[in-house]
Amino acid sequence: MIAGVIRLGGLLGIACWASGCAWMFPAGPQDSAPRPYWPDRRDYGAFEAAHRDLIEPNYLPFMAHRLPGDDPAGDYLVLCRWSEASMPLKVYLESPVIPAELEDEFDPIEPARFVAAVESALAHWEEALEGLVAFERTGDRAVADLELVLVAEEAPEESDRRGLGRISLSHACQSDGEDPDSERLQVHYRVDRLLIYLADPHGLLDPHQVESIALHELGHALGMRSHSPIPSDAMYEVVRDLAVPRLSAQDVNSFLSLYRLENGTIFGHVPLEPSAEPAGPEPPTGQPTLAMAPYVDVRLGFEVRPPEGWMRMETGQGMVAIDGVTWDYTASFQVIVHRYPTIEAYLERFGAYHLSRGAILRRRFSQVSGRRAFRAVVLNF
């Protein structure tokens, strides 16, 4: 069974309503200018043109740290991270003391399980980033680069909404001046302490939940200033499923790109004076020019020629092509291949998800390579 969904209208507005604009950089000493930065695909397009080896899709605009400078273009947006010389990062991690009021007397959790959960998160980052990042446990707090504190109490309200953690990034990235020979700043990066709370209003968390929290907070400690705009990512602002700690492909791509770029690379600038915002890209009209070579999916047995120049992403059930980046686009095309007895059965199960998020412009059944298919065009609200 094959289904296709074409969407007009970007994800940007929807994500803003759902998450409270997670991509706006949090307020802080470095972000006190009156004009906040909103990631824009045109900024990313200009950066991408100058750095052709980026791994896509990624969220580099959401990783940039804002630093003041004397550049007439405005404040710097800088990609800042731990240096190669600082690896492996020395990590201090102490076993927590669980108070009796949090313990389940019939099923107590050994403190060592929480330590093991954080160690698993550390190992996940090491493996995912292919050796670009490494951690080394130390028993001496004084020599540690990063202290991970397991707090056996309920998190305060101002903790990271994603998962009961707290980390300060206001002064993590510091500039030592502009490199006269390249488009980068001389920077040093440091995060001293990361708090992971082990309880919520319902009581003590499960170690798997703590691993998910640690995975997210370590992403901030490794250099991500803001949050992912996509709910399925570990670096998304709002918690979804704490029981399944994992990094998405976009999470991994973002950090691989960050750690392969020169430290202090300038992503762009934020003008200090208000200016007229450029009009956003208009939704495409007419028939697009198709790519010369088809996208071939050997897993599911189909091929399709998406529009030329559109970003293509493989999914578990097919592929998606979009006319921008995953967090800012005006149109997308998705092919879904599922083993359902009929398309009607699939639509009964998943139709609301695909068709209820906008105005249905067209929907019809058709044939694709001799197989029955369903096609829908949806205008996002």
Side-chain angles (χ1 to χ4, degrees):
M1 185 278 294
I2 301 174
V5 179
I6 298 174
R7 296 199 176 279
L8 303 176
L11 177 62
L12 193 59
I14 294 174
C16 182
W17 300 331
S19 68
C21 301
W23 53 84
M24 284 186 63
F25 292 169
Q30 295 178 334
D31 305 318
S32 57
R35 187 170 184 264
Y37 174 67
W38 294 70
D40 187 291
R41 77 169 87 170
R42 289 158 294 193
D43 294 340
Y44 179 76
F47 185 78
E48 179 191 32
H51 301 83
R52 291 294 187 181
D53 56 347
L54 299 180
I55 307 172
E56 297 181 317
N58 64 62
Y59 304 134
L60 285 175
F62 302 84
M63 307 183 87
H65 293 246
R66 182 169 178 167
L67 297 177
D70 54 6
D71 193 302
D75 285 349
Y76 292 103
L77 291 171
V78 180
L79 298 171
C80 203
R81 56 172 175 77
W82 296 91
S83 68
E84 290 84 353
S86 65
M87 298 297 164
L89 297 177
K90 294 182 176 62
V91 174
Y92 180 81
L93 173 61
E94 206 171 68
S95 183
V97 177
I98 311 298
E101 60 269 22
L102 286 179
E103 281 281 21
D104 182 339
E105 59 179 315
F106 301 106
D107 187 22
I109 300 176
E110 290 293 328
R113 292 183 61 193
F114 293 115
V115 173
V118 176
E119 289 176 332
S120 180
L122 291 167
H124 193 160
W125 275 110
E126 286 184 320
E127 181 180 359
L129 299 192
E130 302 173 357
L132 293 173
V133 166
F135 302 100
E136 179 182 279
R137 287 284 300 276
T138 177
D140 186 351
R141 180 188 279 112
V143 302
D145 298 304
L146 178 63
E147 180 182 359
L148 306 182
V149 184
L150 298 179
V151 186
E153 61 185 58
E154 183 181 335
E157 290 184 1
E158 64 268 24
S159 296
D160 187 341
R161 289 197 297 148
R162 169 55 176 82
L164 305 169
R166 182 186 289 179
I167 186 170
S168 175
L169 297 176
S170 296
H171 301 284
C173 181
Q174 295 291 316
S175 172
D176 299 320
E178 188 167 359
D179 187 332
D181 298 322
S182 64
E183 286 296 310
R184 60 184 291 269
L185 297 182
Q186 297 284 355
V187 298
H188 61 272
Y189 182 85
R190 185 169 183 85
V191 177
D192 296 318
R193 208 158 177 253
L194 187 162
L195 305 184
I196 299 171
Y197 289 88
L198 304 183
D200 65 9
H202 304 288
L204 199 63
L205 299 175
D206 181 272
H208 289 292
Q209 295 175 311
V210 172
E211 182 178 348
S212 182
I213 297 165
L215 198 69
H216 176 90
E217 298 304 329
L218 284 168
H220 288 309
L222 289 174
M224 188 162 189
R225 181 67 174 89
S226 188
H227 288 96
S228 157
I230 307 299
S232 59
D233 295 334
M235 295 310 299
Y236 186 62
E237 180 184 29
V238 181
V239 62
R240 294 193 73 199
D241 185 2
L242 279 175
V244 186
R246 66 179 183 85
L247 298 171
S248 71
Q250 290 88 344
D251 289 322
V252 174
N253 291 349
S254 301
F255 282 91
L256 284 177
S257 296
L258 174 67
Y259 274 82
R260 287 175 179 174
L261 288 165
E262 283 192 282
N263 202 9
T265 295
I266 299 171
F267 176 80
H269 295 84
V270 184
L272 300 181
E273 296 297 327
S275 59
E277 294 290 342
E282 292 294 324
T285 59
Q287 294 295 323
T289 301
L290 300 182
M292 292 293 292
Y295 171 89
V296 179
D297 193 314
V298 296
R299 305 165 304 147
L300 301 171
F302 74 90
E303 66 178 56
V304 62
R305 287 176 62 202
E308 187 176 26
W310 285 27
M311 181 181 289
R312 294 175 290 181
M313 295 174 294
E314 185 178 282
T315 68
Q317 286 76 43
M319 65 86 68
V320 177
I322 57 176
D323 74 331
V325 288
T326 54
W327 43 269
D328 186 7
Y329 61 90
T330 51
S332 68
F333 176 78
Q334 182 175 8
V335 176
I336 305 162
V337 179
H338 247 297
R339 293 188 179 278
Y340 264 69
T342 65
I343 289 180
E344 286 80 3
Y346 177 82
L347 292 175
E348 182 177 353
R349 175 69 176 83
F350 296 104
Y353 172 78
H354 294 299
L355 304 177
S356 65
R357 295 180 292 164
I360 302 172
L361 303 184
R362 291 184 296 279
R363 53 186 299 175
R364 65 181 175 86
F365 289 92
S366 62
Q367 294 284 323
V368 176
S369 299
R371 302 172 69 181
R372 192 161 176 260
F374 175 76
R375 179 177 182 267
V377 179
V378 181
L379 178 62
N380 281 358
F381 295 134

